[in-house]
Amino acid sequence: MGSKAPIVEIRNLYKSYHRGNQILPVLNDITLDIDEGEFLALMGPSGSGKTTLLNLIAGIDKADSGTIKVSGVEITSLSETELALWRATNVGFIFQFYNLIPVLTAFENVELPLLLTSLSRKERREHAEMALRVVNLYDRMEHYPGQLSGGQQQRVAIARAVVPDPTILVADEPTGDLDRVSAMEILDLMERLVHGFGKTIIMVTHDPRAAKMAHIIKHLDKGVLNVYPQNHL
Amino acid sequence: MRIPLSYSFRNLWTRRLTTMLTTSGMALVVFVFASILMLAEGLQKTLVETGSYDNVVVIRKSSVSEVQSGVDRLQASIIETQPEVALGANSQLLLAKELVVLISLPKRGSDKPSNVVIRGISESSLMMRPQVKLVEGRMPRQGSSEIIAGNSIAKRFKGGGVGEVLRFGMRDWTVVGIFDAGNTGFSSEIWGDADQLMQAFRRPVYSSVLLKLRNSSEFQGFKERIESDPRLTLEAKRETRYYKDQSEIMAKFLRIMGISLTIIFSLGAIIGAMITMYAAVAHRTGEIGTLRAIGFQRTSILSAFLIESLLLGFSGGCIGLFFASFLQLFTISTMNFQTFSELAFNFSLTFEIIYKALLFSLIMGFVGGALPAVRASRMNIVESLRAS
Ligand SMILES: Nc1ncnc2c1ncn2[C@@H]1O[C@H](COP(=O)(O)OP(=O)(O)O)[C@@H](O)[C@H]1O
Ligand SMILES: [Mg+2]
């Protein structure tokens, strides 16, 4: 992989929030490369800026300065409308609280990102069913999120994230709301996405077991990145 | 690029109770809106049915109704000699010189006074109005103080029944018959001998001349001759046209009043919808952030919430119309604003009213939903995701 350009290239990234007339620096000169097919864990104390960094990589937040390139596209210079179009095909989101749409069935939730593509109705159905098969919930596709357990909901959410075949998957504490068994299932599934399907995952986590699954762990503290080898834990 | 319609629809269904309450508010307004339009429509229908196409009403120029009109005896006799006037079976002229006077009579039960049209008629008056039929008693004798009353008068006014006595024009008048004029304005009139009534009310002139045309197609020529004759300051209208003109002013008045009234009411329903939609936006903040993150544009969020609110308005419109349609079963009596007399008629629902009421309900939904939808579409993705 060394010969290929990294799929994510972050250069001198700064981000701060304004609270009243007070400026709160969150990310301080972040530079980071992530290779294709990588499973990267982002760790660090609460409030250290992990979610903020993930949001910037996913193109839902604006940096103060610095650049982010994803698969050659400099997303830090895209307009809001362009960013939305870009996210639709390039980013899969996995949230701590699943964030499924409660009034849509599992199938409809998974189909949702495909409504933003040019796929036909028939193709959308095929793709969504395929994704539900990958997460092993094909038999539950007519169920509403409220009828599914937390672990099942997170699997639907993963199916929704992978269905448009995005360039990167971002996960913010994907096991944070799950019991041990469900959490292991989710982590196994994510591991399978990386090894079996060649996906690139960037995951924020507090969970040491989750971090163990990852190839690389980056540690964020007060907005500054430190690199630890995996065996350091 | 659109969020599916089922998303908006199912969200309404999920919060059925709030949806129902908001919808009822809108339904109520649409009900009032539709019923006033139905009222105006019914009124118009009644008045238009009052006339016959072959009959011509001659009144003084620019007097809107018979009440304000005056035709003196000389003018009346000039009209009488026109060749277009039809002849009856006994070769008498089908022409009636009539008097129209407004008086106030007490109602049965409440004793409250209300205006009534008194029409002084000639022999041919009844013949020219086939929709008017004597249903009880007999016709008044010429030269006597006898009258006949429309069935709506007999029912609702004191002394309006057969054998009873009404006092007006400083005389006592005996009701000798009741006539049925179907669904027309005549049902709310009292008829008596024109000459007797002119004496009683000290009126030197007639109000109008009604005549039947020998041949309906001769109307234009007749009209032109009458209206250009320098001795006559009169105008001729087909009877249907005459009542249509009358009803239009009245229906317009009702419609304007009704629409202004419902616009005021609708403010309440719109605020109700706005509160519901703001609550929905606040409740679904995280969902909005998720949809935006997935790649839906601001405009998609805007339209999803607008559609939700339009659906609210539309269902309110359908429910309001459904209940309003039952009003067609009722007969109502109201003031004829033209002559300020009583008039009985039905509510009438037309396609135009259905279309207007639904449009009105959609406008309410749109106005109520616009600001909340704009708020939803303007949310910051990261902040709305953090809020969930
Ligand atoms: N919208 C905001 N306004 C002000 N401060 C914010 C906002 N969002 C996050 N922060 C602050 O930025 C810092 C980093 O937040 P975050 O990236 O969520 O941390 P982590 O995910 O590592 O817990 C925190 O101190 C948080 O309070
Ligand atoms: Mg966080």
Side-chain angles (χ1 to χ4, degrees):
Chain A
M1 272 196 211
S3 61
K4 268 174 101 179
I7 198 141
V8 179
E9 296 169 72
I10 303 172
R11 296 289 175 271
N12 311 104
L13 196 68
Y14 287 84
K15 172 76 183 173
S16 56
Y17 282 111
H18 298 260
R19 207 174 269 160
N21 48 14
Q22 212 178 327
I23 295 176
L24 181 80
V26 179
L27 297 178
N28 191 4
D29 198 14
I30 304 280
T31 292
L32 172 70
D33 283 344
I34 302 166
D35 287 324
E36 190 169 3
E38 198 78 85
F39 190 173
L40 181 137
L42 205 51
M43 297 191 77
S46 179
S48 57
K50 304 183 296 295
T51 298
T52 304
L53 179 56
L54 199 69
N55 288 344
L56 286 169
I57 296 170
I60 57 172
D61 206 351
K62 281 268 165 207
D64 295 346
S65 65
T67 57
I68 302 172
K69 265 193 200 169
V70 179
S71 197
V73 179
E74 193 178 309
I75 63 164
T76 33
S77 59
L78 294 181
S79 74
E80 187 183 78
T81 308
E82 290 167 337
L83 265 180
L85 287 168
W86 175 79
R87 285 195 302 273
T89 48
N90 289 283
V91 188
F93 287 89
I94 303 166
F95 302 94
Q96 180 175 1
F97 299 105
Y98 335 125
N99 290 27
L100 296 176
I101 308 299
V103 299
L104 300 182
T105 62
F107 171 79
E108 289 165 334
N109 266 286
V110 176
E111 191 195 21
L112 206 53
L114 299 179
L115 297 176
L116 297 164
T117 67
S118 55
L119 292 181
S120 70
R121 194 187 173 84
K122 186 167 162 277
E123 290 167 322
R124 289 203 305 267
R125 173 154 280 276
E126 286 166 5
H127 286 223
E129 285 180 0
M130 170 87 87
L132 280 162
R133 267 203 195 89
V134 169
V135 300
N136 207 10
L137 280 174
Y138 182 76
D139 54 337
R140 297 295 181 101
M141 65 177 177
E142 294 308 326
H143 287 225
Y144 286 91
Q147 299 168 317
L148 299 171
S149 72
Q152 287 170 330
Q153 286 187 58
Q154 193 61 302
R155 273 148 62 198
V156 174
I158 290 173
R160 180 179 68 183
V162 299
V163 80
D165 194 19
T167 316
I168 54 171
L169 288 171
V170 295
D172 197 347
E173 307 200 27
T175 57
D177 195 50
L178 296 174
D179 60 75
R180 272 176 74 89
V181 178
S182 306
M184 278 322 288
E185 269 174 26
I186 295 299
L187 289 170
D188 282 339
L189 180 56
M190 289 173 75
E191 157 79 356
R192 202 144 54 81
L193 290 175
V194 174
H195 280 129
F197 295 86
K199 299 286 170 205
T200 308
I201 300 183
I202 305 145
M203 170 177 71
V204 166
T205 188
H206 276 309
D207 184 350
R209 285 166 306 165
K212 227 174 215 144
M213 286 281 192
H215 310 155
I216 297 180
I217 299 169
K218 300 277 171 173
H219 202 88
L220 200 58
D221 199 359
K222 298 196 181 93
V224 180
L225 265 186
N226 298 301
V227 189
Y228 291 86
Q230 191 172 3
N231 54 19
H232 198 88
L233 262 170
Chain B
M1 286 292 271
R2 235 197 40 216
I3 297 171
L5 198 67
S6 56
Y7 170 77
S8 304
F9 186 78
R10 284 187 213 161
N11 272 304
L12 287 174
W13 182 247
T14 304
R15 51 186 159 94
R16 291 187 271 291
L17 186 67
T18 347
T19 299
M20 219 179 65
L21 288 173
T22 316
T23 305
S24 342
M26 298 216 177
L28 196 68
V29 175
V30 171
F31 176 83
V32 174
F33 180 79
S35 28
I36 292 175
L37 291 187
M38 285 165 73
L39 198 86
E41 186 69 29
L43 199 70
Q44 212 156 13
K45 241 184 205 165
T46 299
L47 282 175
V48 170
E49 276 168 20
T50 303
S52 317
Y53 188 68
D54 289 349
N55 290 351
V56 177
V57 181
V58 182
I59 50 173
R60 197 180 62 212
K61 249 185 201 130
S62 76
S63 54
V64 190
S65 80
E66 291 169 290
V67 179
Q68 295 111 354
S69 162
V71 179
D72 66 38
R73 289 175 191 271
L74 176 70
Q75 293 175 328
S77 55
I78 293 171
I79 297 164
E80 232 166 359
T81 60
Q82 300 302 314
E84 290 89 350
V85 182
L87 294 180
N90 306 324
S91 62
Q92 83 280 27
L93 280 178
L94 287 181
L95 177 142
K97 296 174 267 188
E98 299 189 339
L99 175 75
V100 173
V101 186
L102 263 182
I103 59 155
S104 179
L105 288 176
K107 283 198 176 180
R108 284 192 200 279
S110 69
D111 246 8
K112 263 171 61 184
S114 187
N115 286 332
V116 171
V117 167
I118 309 276
R119 186 180 293 274
I121 57 164
S122 319
E123 275 169 85
S124 305
S125 289
L126 197 66
M127 242 174 285
M128 281 183 285
R129 295 186 174 105
Q131 65 279 58
V132 181
K133 287 179 190 73
L134 198 69
V135 288
E136 204 185 325
R138 56 173 177 81
M139 288 298 288
R141 271 192 302 261
Q142 253 193 312
S144 72
S145 296
E146 291 177 347
I147 50 173
I148 52 176
N151 48 3
S152 160
I153 294 287
K155 238 182 287 168
R156 292 179 315 166
F157 283 86
K158 222 175 195 166
V162 171
E164 291 185 287
V165 172
L166 284 168
R167 183 160 180 86
F168 55 83
M170 286 175 294
R171 269 204 226 171
D172 285 331
W173 304 82
T174 312
V175 181
V176 296
I178 304 293
F179 61 88
D180 179 3
N183 211 6
T184 71
F186 299 126
S187 292
S188 308
E189 292 184 357
I190 294 172
W191 290 6
D193 180 56
D195 291 321
Q196 290 301 311
L197 286 163
M198 283 168 85
Q199 275 176 32
F201 287 107
R202 297 178 200 285
R203 291 281 185 105
V205 299
Y206 299 106
S207 300
S208 64
V209 176
L210 176 73
L211 60 100
K212 192 180 172 79
L213 289 173
R214 179 174 66 176
N215 182 339
S216 182
S217 62
E218 289 177 338
F219 172 72
Q220 203 50 40
F222 175 78
K223 178 185 168 71
E224 273 158 24
R225 183 146 19 82
I226 293 293
E227 293 182 358
S228 60
D229 190 324
R231 292 167 300 172
L232 309 171
T233 47
L234 302 175
E235 63 180 316
K237 286 182 181 184
R238 283 194 194 269
E239 201 186 13
T240 42
R241 177 82 228 173
Y242 168 75
Y243 284 108
K244 191 165 186 284
D245 286 351
Q246 276 210 11
S247 70
E248 241 146 45
I249 300 168
M250 225 162 92
K252 201 171 180 180
F253 174 79
L254 256 183
R255 284 190 187 112
I256 290 173
M257 191 184 72
I259 288 170
S260 351
L261 202 73
T262 37
I263 283 176
I264 294 167
F265 283 164
S266 71
L267 289 182
I270 287 171
I271 289 170
M274 206 181 281
I275 291 171
T276 315
M277 290 310 297
Y278 267 130
V281 171
H283 184 239
R284 303 215 300 269
T285 300
E287 217 168 291
I288 294 164
T290 308
L291 288 168
R292 292 281 310 285
I294 286 173
F296 285 97
Q297 302 281 2
R298 288 185 193 275
T299 48
S300 303
I301 304 291
L302 184 85
S303 56
F305 278 90
L306 256 187
I307 285 169
E308 204 167 309
S309 179
L310 285 172
L311 276 172
L312 262 181
F314 187 73
S315 48
C318 290
I319 295 168
L321 269 178
F322 174 76
F323 284 107
S325 69
F326 286 103
L327 287 175
Q328 293 178 104
L329 305 172
F330 296 102
T331 299
I332 191 169
S333 82
T334 189
M335 189 84 100
N336 179 329
F337 293 97
Q338 211 58 52
T339 59
F340 294 101
S341 57
E342 286 260 329
L343 186 69
F345 57 93
N346 292 311
F347 288 92
S348 169
L349 185 61
T350 61
F351 274 110
E352 199 189 338
I353 294 175
I354 292 176
Y355 147 80
K356 279 184 180 162
L358 290 181
L359 187 71
F360 182 63
S361 66
L362 286 173
I363 290 173
M364 279 198 291
F366 181 84
V367 175
L371 288 179
V374 166
R375 174 185 281 188
S377 73
R378 292 179 64 165
M379 280 181 174
N380 174 285
I381 304 177
V382 172
E383 276 167 26
S384 44
L385 283 173
R386 278 188 202 273
S388 63

